[in-house]
mmCIF file of all heavy atoms in Angstrom:
data_model
loop_
_atom_site.group_PDB
_atom_site.id
_atom_site.type_symbol
_atom_site.label_atom_id
_atom_site.label_comp_id
_atom_site.label_asym_id
_atom_site.label_seq_id
_atom_site.Cartn_x
_atom_site.Cartn_y
_atom_site.Cartn_z
ATOM 1 N N GLY T 79 40.471 -2.045 13.265
ATOM 2 C CA GLY T 79 40.486 -3.334 13.949
ATOM 3 C C GLY T 79 39.239 -4.169 13.742
ATOM 4 O O GLY T 79 38.960 -5.094 14.520
ATOM 5 N N LEU T 80 38.480 -3.872 12.671
ATOM 6 C CA LEU T 80 37.264 -4.634 12.385
ATOM 7 C C LEU T 80 37.505 -5.576 11.202
ATOM 8 O O LEU T 80 38.155 -5.201 10.231
ATOM 9 C CB LEU T 80 36.106 -3.683 12.040
ATOM 10 C CG LEU T 80 35.696 -2.665 13.100
ATOM 11 C CD1 LEU T 80 34.607 -1.749 12.548
ATOM 12 C CD2 LEU T 80 35.212 -3.353 14.361
ATOM 13 N N THR T 81 36.996 -6.782 11.300
ATOM 14 C CA THR T 81 37.091 -7.720 10.183
ATOM 15 C C THR T 81 35.805 -7.642 9.359
ATOM 16 O O THR T 81 34.742 -7.299 9.878
ATOM 17 C CB THR T 81 37.285 -9.164 10.674
ATOM 18 O OG1 THR T 81 36.225 -9.501 11.571
ATOM 19 C CG2 THR T 81 38.623 -9.317 11.396
ATOM 20 N N THR T 82 35.916 -7.966 8.085
ATOM 21 C CA THR T 82 34.770 -7.844 7.186
ATOM 22 C C THR T 82 34.563 -9.125 6.385
ATOM 23 O O THR T 82 35.477 -9.926 6.209
ATOM 24 C CB THR T 82 34.963 -6.677 6.199
ATOM 25 O OG1 THR T 82 36.200 -6.862 5.498
ATOM 26 C CG2 THR T 82 34.986 -5.346 6.926
ATOM 27 N N PHE T 83 33.345 -9.278 5.895
ATOM 28 C CA PHE T 83 32.977 -10.425 5.064
ATOM 29 C C PHE T 83 31.906 -9.925 4.105
ATOM 30 O O PHE T 83 30.961 -9.259 4.525
ATOM 31 C CB PHE T 83 32.419 -11.555 5.940
ATOM 32 C CG PHE T 83 32.191 -12.851 5.207
ATOM 33 C CD1 PHE T 83 33.085 -13.904 5.347
ATOM 34 C CD2 PHE T 83 31.085 -13.031 4.373
ATOM 35 C CE1 PHE T 83 32.878 -15.109 4.676
ATOM 36 C CE2 PHE T 83 30.870 -14.216 3.700
ATOM 37 C CZ PHE T 83 31.769 -15.265 3.855
ATOM 38 N N THR T 84 32.047 -10.223 2.822
ATOM 39 C CA THR T 84 31.097 -9.727 1.835
ATOM 40 C C THR T 84 30.214 -10.849 1.297
ATOM 41 O O THR T 84 30.705 -11.913 0.924
ATOM 42 C CB THR T 84 31.823 -9.052 0.659
ATOM 43 O OG1 THR T 84 32.658 -8.002 1.165
ATOM 44 C CG2 THR T 84 30.824 -8.448 -0.306
ATOM 45 N N VAL T 85 28.917 -10.583 1.253
ATOM 46 C CA VAL T 85 27.941 -11.528 0.718
ATOM 47 C C VAL T 85 27.414 -10.972 -0.599
ATOM 48 O O VAL T 85 26.829 -9.890 -0.632
ATOM 49 C CB VAL T 85 26.772 -11.758 1.693
ATOM 50 C CG1 VAL T 85 25.841 -12.855 1.150
ATOM 51 C CG2 VAL T 85 27.282 -12.120 3.086
ATOM 52 N N TRP T 86 27.656 -11.736 -1.683
ATOM 53 C CA TRP T 86 27.138 -11.395 -2.994
ATOM 54 C C TRP T 86 26.064 -12.413 -3.379
ATOM 55 O O TRP T 86 25.878 -13.414 -2.688
ATOM 56 C CB TRP T 86 28.246 -11.418 -4.044
ATOM 57 C CG TRP T 86 29.401 -10.509 -3.795
ATOM 58 C CD1 TRP T 86 30.618 -10.839 -3.282
ATOM 59 C CD2 TRP T 86 29.457 -9.093 -4.044
ATOM 60 N NE1 TRP T 86 31.436 -9.739 -3.194
ATOM 61 C CE2 TRP T 86 30.747 -8.647 -3.661
ATOM 62 C CE3 TRP T 86 28.549 -8.163 -4.559
ATOM 63 C CZ2 TRP T 86 31.156 -7.313 -3.784
ATOM 64 C CZ3 TRP T 86 28.952 -6.840 -4.672
ATOM 65 C CH2 TRP T 86 30.231 -6.425 -4.288
ATOM 66 N N SER T 87 25.412 -12.175 -4.478
ATOM 67 C CA SER T 87 24.410 -13.138 -4.953
ATOM 68 C C SER T 87 25.027 -14.518 -5.157
ATOM 69 O O SER T 87 24.402 -15.548 -4.876
ATOM 70 C CB SER T 87 23.783 -12.654 -6.266
ATOM 71 O OG SER T 87 23.129 -11.414 -6.088
ATOM 72 N N ARG T 88 26.285 -14.545 -5.608
ATOM 73 C CA ARG T 88 26.929 -15.814 -5.949
ATOM 74 C C ARG T 88 27.254 -16.682 -4.732
ATOM 75 O O ARG T 88 27.386 -17.898 -4.853
ATOM 76 C CB ARG T 88 28.203 -15.565 -6.754
ATOM 77 C CG ARG T 88 29.244 -14.718 -6.050
ATOM 78 C CD ARG T 88 30.482 -14.516 -6.930
ATOM 79 N NE ARG T 88 31.462 -13.624 -6.332
ATOM 80 C CZ ARG T 88 31.495 -12.320 -6.515
ATOM 81 N NH1 ARG T 88 30.593 -11.746 -7.290
ATOM 82 N NH2 ARG T 88 32.427 -11.575 -5.946
ATOM 83 N N ASN T 89 27.422 -16.071 -3.557
ATOM 84 C CA ASN T 89 27.739 -16.890 -2.373
ATOM 85 C C ASN T 89 26.666 -16.806 -1.287
ATOM 86 O O ASN T 89 26.862 -17.278 -0.169
ATOM 87 C CB ASN T 89 29.105 -16.514 -1.791
ATOM 88 C CG ASN T 89 29.139 -15.106 -1.185
ATOM 89 O OD1 ASN T 89 28.300 -14.269 -1.522
ATOM 90 N ND2 ASN T 89 30.099 -14.853 -0.316
ATOM 91 N N LEU T 90 25.524 -16.201 -1.627
ATOM 92 C CA LEU T 90 24.450 -16.018 -0.655
ATOM 93 C C LEU T 90 23.981 -17.342 -0.049
ATOM 94 O O LEU T 90 23.881 -17.472 1.173
ATOM 95 C CB LEU T 90 23.266 -15.296 -1.301
ATOM 96 C CG LEU T 90 21.979 -15.201 -0.467
ATOM 97 C CD1 LEU T 90 22.218 -14.441 0.833
ATOM 98 C CD2 LEU T 90 20.857 -14.543 -1.276
ATOM 99 N N GLU T 91 23.687 -18.324 -0.875
ATOM 100 C CA GLU T 91 23.154 -19.590 -0.365
ATOM 101 C C GLU T 91 24.161 -20.303 0.521
ATOM 102 O O GLU T 91 23.799 -20.887 1.552
ATOM 103 C CB GLU T 91 22.725 -20.490 -1.529
ATOM 104 C CG GLU T 91 21.535 -19.955 -2.326
ATOM 105 C CD GLU T 91 20.325 -19.658 -1.461
ATOM 106 O OE1 GLU T 91 20.073 -20.407 -0.491
ATOM 107 O OE2 GLU T 91 19.626 -18.664 -1.747
ATOM 108 N N GLU T 92 25.425 -20.265 0.141
ATOM 109 C CA GLU T 92 26.473 -20.895 0.955
ATOM 110 C C GLU T 92 26.583 -20.216 2.319
ATOM 111 O O GLU T 92 26.666 -20.877 3.364
ATOM 112 C CB GLU T 92 27.816 -20.818 0.235
ATOM 113 C CG GLU T 92 28.977 -21.403 1.041
ATOM 114 C CD GLU T 92 30.334 -21.047 0.459
ATOM 115 O OE1 GLU T 92 30.393 -20.533 -0.680
ATOM 116 O OE2 GLU T 92 31.336 -21.286 1.160
ATOM 117 N N VAL T 93 26.574 -18.888 2.305
ATOM 118 C CA VAL T 93 26.672 -18.122 3.552
ATOM 119 C C VAL T 93 25.465 -18.403 4.442
ATOM 120 O O VAL T 93 25.606 -18.636 5.652
ATOM 121 C CB VAL T 93 26.778 -16.605 3.258
ATOM 122 C CG1 VAL T 93 26.625 -15.790 4.540
ATOM 123 C CG2 VAL T 93 28.097 -16.293 2.581
ATOM 124 N N TYR T 94 24.288 -18.386 3.841
ATOM 125 C CA TYR T 94 23.068 -18.625 4.623
ATOM 126 C C TYR T 94 23.091 -20.015 5.255
ATOM 127 O O TYR T 94 22.720 -20.186 6.419
ATOM 128 C CB TYR T 94 21.837 -18.463 3.722
ATOM 129 C CG TYR T 94 20.529 -18.540 4.481
ATOM 130 C CD1 TYR T 94 20.079 -17.457 5.229
ATOM 131 C CD2 TYR T 94 19.756 -19.700 4.464
ATOM 132 C CE1 TYR T 94 18.889 -17.513 5.935
ATOM 133 C CE2 TYR T 94 18.560 -19.765 5.167
ATOM 134 C CZ TYR T 94 18.144 -18.668 5.901
ATOM 135 O OH TYR T 94 16.970 -18.747 6.608
ATOM 136 N N SER T 95 23.528 -20.993 4.497
ATOM 137 C CA SER T 95 23.611 -22.366 5.008
ATOM 138 C C SER T 95 24.579 -22.448 6.185
ATOM 139 O O SER T 95 24.285 -23.093 7.204
ATOM 140 C CB SER T 95 24.058 -23.306 3.891
ATOM 141 O OG SER T 95 24.236 -24.624 4.374
ATOM 142 N N ARG T 96 25.719 -21.789 6.060
ATOM 143 C CA ARG T 96 26.706 -21.793 7.156
ATOM 144 C C ARG T 96 26.171 -21.081 8.384
ATOM 145 O O ARG T 96 26.455 -21.481 9.524
ATOM 146 C CB ARG T 96 28.004 -21.144 6.680
ATOM 147 C CG ARG T 96 28.773 -21.969 5.651
ATOM 148 C CD ARG T 96 30.032 -21.256 5.224
ATOM 149 N NE ARG T 96 30.956 -21.081 6.336
ATOM 150 C CZ ARG T 96 32.052 -20.325 6.287
ATOM 151 N NH1 ARG T 96 32.348 -19.670 5.151
ATOM 152 N NH2 ARG T 96 32.845 -20.209 7.333
ATOM 153 N N MET T 97 25.393 -20.034 8.171
ATOM 154 C CA MET T 97 24.796 -19.325 9.308
ATOM 155 C C MET T 97 23.763 -20.210 10.006
ATOM 156 O O MET T 97 23.691 -20.244 11.240
ATOM 157 C CB MET T 97 24.146 -18.021 8.833
ATOM 158 C CG MET T 97 25.140 -16.942 8.435
ATOM 159 S SD MET T 97 24.320 -15.439 7.815
ATOM 160 C CE MET T 97 23.468 -14.893 9.302
ATOM 161 N N GLU T 98 22.960 -20.910 9.224
ATOM 162 C CA GLU T 98 21.964 -21.818 9.809
ATOM 163 C C GLU T 98 22.615 -22.898 10.663
ATOM 164 O O GLU T 98 22.079 -23.298 11.705
ATOM 165 C CB GLU T 98 21.141 -22.482 8.700
ATOM 166 C CG GLU T 98 20.058 -21.614 8.104
ATOM 167 C CD GLU T 98 19.132 -22.407 7.201
ATOM 168 O OE1 GLU T 98 19.628 -23.129 6.324
ATOM 169 O OE2 GLU T 98 17.895 -22.297 7.387
ATOM 170 N N LYS T 99 23.779 -23.356 10.229
ATOM 171 C CA LYS T 99 24.503 -24.419 10.953
ATOM 172 C C LYS T 99 25.298 -23.873 12.144
ATOM 173 O O LYS T 99 25.888 -24.641 12.899
ATOM 174 C CB LYS T 99 25.454 -25.146 10.001
ATOM 175 C CG LYS T 99 24.765 -25.911 8.889
ATOM 176 C CD LYS T 99 25.785 -26.452 7.897
ATOM 177 C CE LYS T 99 25.110 -27.146 6.719
ATOM 178 N NZ LYS T 99 26.101 -27.569 5.695
ATOM 179 N N GLY T 100 25.339 -22.546 12.264
ATOM 180 C CA GLY T 100 26.096 -21.946 13.355
ATOM 181 C C GLY T 100 27.580 -21.842 13.079
ATOM 182 O O GLY T 100 28.382 -21.583 13.981
ATOM 183 N N GLU T 101 27.982 -22.024 11.828
ATOM 184 C CA GLU T 101 29.393 -21.960 11.460
ATOM 185 C C GLU T 101 29.861 -20.528 11.181
ATOM 186 O O GLU T 101 31.058 -20.264 11.145
ATOM 187 C CB GLU T 101 29.645 -22.802 10.199
ATOM 188 C CG GLU T 101 29.342 -24.278 10.354
ATOM 189 C CD GLU T 101 29.460 -25.038 9.037
ATOM 190 O OE1 GLU T 101 29.715 -24.403 7.981
ATOM 191 O OE2 GLU T 101 29.293 -26.269 9.072
ATOM 192 N N LEU T 102 28.921 -19.636 10.992
ATOM 193 C CA LEU T 102 29.250 -18.269 10.605
ATOM 194 C C LEU T 102 28.250 -17.303 11.235
ATOM 195 O O LEU T 102 27.050 -17.576 11.258
ATOM 196 C CB LEU T 102 29.205 -18.138 9.071
ATOM 197 C CG LEU T 102 29.672 -16.839 8.422
ATOM 198 C CD1 LEU T 102 31.149 -16.598 8.706
ATOM 199 C CD2 LEU T 102 29.427 -16.886 6.916
ATOM 200 N N SER T 103 28.749 -16.205 11.764
ATOM 201 C CA SER T 103 27.853 -15.176 12.321
ATOM 202 C C SER T 103 28.531 -13.812 12.207
ATOM 203 O O SER T 103 29.743 -13.722 12.043
ATOM 204 C CB SER T 103 27.521 -15.479 13.792
ATOM 205 O OG SER T 103 28.695 -15.435 14.593
#
Side-chain angles (χ1 to χ4, degrees):
L80 300 176
T81 56
T82 55
F83 188 103
T84 304
V85 185
W86 302 100
S87 299
R88 59 180 176 269
N89 67 339
L90 172 61
E91 293 305 324
E92 178 193 349
V93 170
Y94 186 77
S95 176
R96 290 179 63 190
M97 288 178 65
E98 282 190 310
K99 295 173 184 175
E101 298 174 356
L102 187 63
S103 63

